[in-house]
Amino acid sequence: MKLFRSVSRVLAVMSLLCLSPGILSGCQNSKLPMPQFPLEKPAVEQALAESGLDWEIAQEETLKEGHVVYTLNGKDGQPVAFLSSLGSDKTRILQINFLDSEERKPAIPYEDWEKAICLASILYGGFDSAGQVCENFNQTYEEKSVADTPGNGYQYIERIQWQNQLNGVHCFLGFGSQKAGGQLSEAEFVTIYFSKAGE
């Protein structure tokens, strides 16, 4: 595995994923509250509105006690993500998996990545602001991001992973690219995973 140390890649992340006051103006106040887990529908709907994503809940499914999964649709009515929350006395896990479209276009365009990270931050709670994870991602991308080639059977030629601990939360962002050594902006956003540090 190798660390991403290309200046051009880092500059692309900093310029295109830098926090926009217009997008996150409602997310920059006091420390975020921590919604009850597993997440309830009103909490997801409110977070979607605050993040600026034009998505809606299409389906809610309880897999087992304490584990709820929501299917999120885009404005075209097509599924864009599965949002999973798992909660108990000792466990607090949030995972968002983004889906491919039939046209082989990313379900979530590059310009919406920041909003998606904002959404996850609001839903998990406990961060200094909804922009904290995205800010830290921009600041530590060169240091913390690792790329590898997973080999046959994996959907992408190259896998890019970033993770860090913020406010006692383990934060993981996963991306996939159809070519090795490309710009991050050319990759697809695959997953967001937040959990208590140490879980």
Side-chain angles (χ1 to χ4, degrees), residues 112-126:
D112 284 345
W113 286 10
E114 178 186 328
K115 297 178 184 179
I117 299 171
C118 176
L119 171 67
S121 301
I122 295 169
L123 289 172
Y124 197 88

Side-chain angles (χ1 to χ4, degrees), residues 34-104:
M34 298 184 70
Q36 181 179 345
F37 266 46
L39 291 165
E40 297 181 351
K41 186 176 180 179
V44 177
E45 291 174 333
Q46 180 177 347
L48 284 169
E50 291 180 9
S51 69
L53 288 167
D54 191 13
W55 298 352
E56 62 181 14
I57 296 172
Q59 184 177 345
E60 176 183 352
E61 182 179 4
T62 300
L63 299 184
K64 62 180 181 180
E65 185 177 358
H67 189 186
V68 176
V69 177
Y70 293 94
T71 302
L72 303 179
N73 283 5
K75 59 183 178 181
D76 60 357
Q78 297 300 311
V80 294
F82 292 126
L83 191 161
S84 172
S85 61
L86 178 64
S88 67
D89 292 341
K90 297 182 179 180
T91 301
R92 185 180 180 87
I93 296 173
L94 174 75
Q95 184 167 1
I96 303 177
N97 292 324
F98 304 106
L99 307 176
D100 290 329
S101 67
E102 294 181 357
E103 294 80 13
R104 293 300 303 157

